[in-house]
Coordinates of all heavy atoms in Angstrom, one line a residue:
S95 N 145.3 -196.9 -166.4 CA 144.0 -197.0 -165.7 C 144.0 -196.1 -164.5 O 143.0 -195.8 -163.9 CB 143.8 -198.5 -165.2 OG 144.9 -198.9 -164.5
V96 N 145.2 -195.6 -164.1 CA 145.3 -194.7 -163.0 C 146.3 -193.6 -163.4 O 147.4 -193.9 -163.9 CB 145.9 -195.4 -161.7 CG1 146.0 -194.3 -160.6 CG2 144.9 -196.5 -161.2
V97 N 146.0 -192.4 -163.2 CA 146.8 -191.2 -163.5 C 147.1 -190.4 -162.2 O 146.2 -190.0 -161.5 CB 146.2 -190.3 -164.6 CG1 147.1 -189.1 -164.8 CG2 146.0 -191.1 -165.8
I98 N 148.4 -190.3 -161.8 CA 148.7 -189.5 -160.6 C 149.5 -188.3 -161.0 O 150.4 -188.4 -161.9 CB 149.6 -190.4 -159.7 CG1 148.8 -191.7 -159.3 CG2 150.0 -189.6 -158.4 CD1 149.7 -192.7 -158.5
S99 N 149.2 -187.2 -160.4 CA 150.0 -186.0 -160.6 C 150.5 -185.4 -159.3 O 149.9 -185.5 -158.3 CB 149.1 -184.9 -161.3 OG 147.9 -184.7 -160.6
M100 N 151.7 -184.9 -159.4 CA 152.4 -184.2 -158.2 C 153.1 -183.0 -158.7 O 154.2 -183.0 -159.2 CB 153.3 -185.2 -157.5 CG 154.1 -184.5 -156.4 SD 153.1 -183.8 -155.1 CE 153.1 -185.1 -153.9
L101 N 152.4 -181.8 -158.7 CA 152.8 -180.6 -159.3 C 152.9 -179.5 -158.3 O 152.3 -179.5 -157.3 CB 151.9 -180.3 -160.5 CG 151.8 -181.3 -161.6 CD1 150.7 -181.0 -162.6 CD2 153.2 -181.5 -162.3
P102 N 153.6 -178.4 -158.7 CA 153.9 -177.3 -157.7 C 152.7 -176.5 -157.2 O 152.6 -176.1 -156.1 CB 154.9 -176.4 -158.4 CG 155.5 -177.3 -159.4 CD 154.4 -178.2 -159.9
A103 N 151.8 -176.2 -158.1 CA 150.7 -175.2 -157.8 C 149.5 -175.4 -158.6 O 149.4 -176.1 -159.6 CB 151.3 -173.8 -158.0
S104 N 148.4 -174.6 -158.2 CA 147.1 -174.7 -158.9 C 147.2 -174.5 -160.4 O 146.6 -175.2 -161.2 CB 146.2 -173.7 -158.3 OG 146.0 -173.9 -156.9
K105 N 148.0 -173.5 -160.8 CA 148.1 -173.2 -162.2 C 148.7 -174.3 -163.0 O 148.3 -174.5 -164.2 CB 148.9 -171.9 -162.4 CG 150.4 -172.0 -162.0 CD 151.1 -170.7 -162.2 CE 152.6 -170.8 -161.8 NZ 153.3 -169.5 -162.0
H106 N 149.6 -175.1 -162.4 CA 150.2 -176.2 -163.1 C 149.2 -177.4 -163.3 O 149.1 -178.0 -164.3 CB 151.4 -176.7 -162.4 CG 152.5 -175.6 -162.2 ND1 152.7 -175.1 -161.0 CD2 153.3 -175.0 -163.1 CE1 153.7 -174.1 -161.1 NE2 154.0 -174.1 -162.4
V107 N 148.4 -177.6 -162.2 CA 147.4 -178.7 -162.3 C 146.3 -178.3 -163.3 O 145.9 -179.2 -164.1 CB 146.8 -178.9 -160.9 CG1 145.7 -179.9 -160.9 CG2 147.9 -179.4 -159.9
E108 N 145.8 -177.1 -163.3 CA 144.8 -176.7 -164.2 C 145.3 -176.7 -165.6 O 144.6 -177.2 -166.5 CB 144.2 -175.4 -163.8 CG 143.5 -175.4 -162.5 CD 142.5 -174.2 -162.3 OE1 141.9 -173.8 -163.3 OE2 142.3 -173.7 -161.2
A109 N 146.5 -176.2 -165.8 CA 147.1 -176.2 -167.2 C 147.2 -177.7 -167.7 O 147.0 -178.0 -168.9 CB 148.4 -175.5 -167.2
L110 N 147.7 -178.6 -166.8 CA 147.9 -180.0 -167.3 C 146.6 -180.6 -167.6 O 146.4 -181.2 -168.7 CB 148.6 -180.8 -166.1 CG 148.7 -182.3 -166.4 CD1 149.7 -182.5 -167.5 CD2 149.1 -183.0 -165.1
F111 N 145.6 -180.6 -166.7 CA 144.4 -181.3 -166.9 C 143.3 -180.6 -167.8 O 142.5 -181.3 -168.5 CB 143.8 -181.7 -165.6 CG 144.5 -182.8 -164.8 CD1 145.2 -182.5 -163.6 CD2 144.6 -184.1 -165.3 CE1 145.9 -183.5 -163.0 CE2 145.3 -185.1 -164.7 CZ 146.0 -184.8 -163.5
L112 N 143.3 -179.3 -167.7 CA 142.2 -178.6 -168.4 C 142.7 -177.9 -169.7 O 141.9 -177.6 -170.6 CB 141.6 -177.5 -167.5 CG 141.0 -178.1 -166.2 CD1 140.4 -176.9 -165.4 CD2 140.0 -179.1 -166.4
G113 N 144.0 -177.7 -169.8 CA 144.6 -177.0 -170.9 C 144.4 -175.5 -170.7 O 143.8 -175.0 -169.8
E114 N 145.1 -174.7 -171.5 CA 145.1 -173.3 -171.4 C 143.7 -172.7 -171.6 O 143.3 -171.7 -171.0 CB 146.0 -172.6 -172.4 CG 147.5 -173.0 -172.3 CD 148.0 -172.6 -170.9 OE1 147.6 -171.6 -170.4 OE2 148.9 -173.3 -170.4
D115 N 142.8 -173.4 -172.4 CA 141.5 -172.9 -172.6 C 140.4 -173.6 -171.8 O 139.2 -173.3 -171.9 CB 141.1 -173.0 -174.1 CG 141.2 -174.5 -174.6 OD1 141.5 -175.4 -173.8 OD2 141.0 -174.7 -175.8
G116 N 140.9 -174.5 -170.9 CA 139.9 -175.2 -170.1 C 139.2 -176.3 -170.7 O 138.4 -177.0 -170.2
L117 N 139.6 -176.6 -172.0 CA 138.9 -177.6 -172.8 C 139.8 -178.7 -173.3 O 139.4 -179.9 -173.5 CB 138.2 -177.0 -174.0 CG 137.1 -175.9 -173.6 CD1 136.7 -175.3 -174.9 CD2 136.0 -176.5 -172.9
G118 N 141.1 -178.4 -173.6 CA 141.9 -179.4 -174.3 C 143.1 -180.0 -173.5 O 144.1 -180.3 -174.1
G119 N 142.9 -180.1 -172.2 CA 144.0 -180.7 -171.4 C 144.1 -182.2 -171.4 O 143.4 -182.9 -172.2
L120 N 144.8 -182.7 -170.5 CA 145.1 -184.1 -170.4 C 143.8 -184.9 -170.1 O 143.7 -186.1 -170.5 CB 146.1 -184.4 -169.3 CG 146.9 -185.7 -169.3 CD1 147.7 -185.7 -170.6 CD2 147.8 -185.9 -168.1
L121 N 142.8 -184.3 -169.5 CA 141.6 -185.1 -169.2 C 140.9 -185.6 -170.5 O 140.2 -186.6 -170.5 CB 140.6 -184.2 -168.4 CG 141.0 -183.9 -167.0 CD1 139.9 -183.0 -166.3 CD2 141.2 -185.1 -166.1
A122 N 141.1 -184.9 -171.6 CA 140.6 -185.3 -172.8 C 141.3 -186.5 -173.4 O 140.8 -187.1 -174.4 CB 140.6 -184.1 -173.8
R123 N 142.5 -186.8 -172.9 CA 143.3 -187.9 -173.5 C 143.3 -189.2 -172.6 O 143.7 -190.2 -173.0 CB 144.7 -187.5 -173.6 CG 144.9 -186.3 -174.7 CD 146.3 -185.9 -174.7 NE 146.5 -184.9 -175.8 CZ 146.9 -185.1 -177.0 NH1 147.1 -186.4 -177.4 NH2 147.0 -184.2 -177.9
I124 N 142.8 -189.0 -171.4 CA 142.7 -190.2 -170.4 C 141.5 -191.0 -170.8 O 140.4 -190.5 -171.0 CB 142.7 -189.7 -169.0 CG1 143.9 -188.9 -168.7 CG2 142.6 -190.9 -168.0 CD1 143.8 -188.2 -167.3
A125 N 141.7 -192.4 -170.8 CA 140.6 -193.3 -171.1 C 139.5 -193.2 -170.1 O 139.7 -193.1 -168.9 CB 141.2 -194.7 -171.2
A126 N 138.3 -193.2 -170.7 CA 137.1 -193.2 -169.8 C 137.1 -194.4 -168.8 O 137.6 -195.5 -169.2 CB 135.8 -193.3 -170.6

């Protein structure tokens, strides 16, 4: 119900949540 991230830099945060293409990252897997 809560997702927390603590990563080194912008590129890591964007890659995690948005994915390499900006569409398929972790945000697509987190419950609405």
Side-chain angles (χ1 to χ4, degrees):
S95 54
V96 177
V97 177
I98 302 174
S99 54
M100 175 57 98
L101 300 173
S104 300
K105 64 181 181 180
H106 303 108
V107 173
E108 292 202 36
L110 174 70
F111 287 114
L112 304 181
E114 298 300 328
D115 56 4
L117 300 173
L120 202 63
L121 290 180
R123 296 176 175 269
I124 300 172

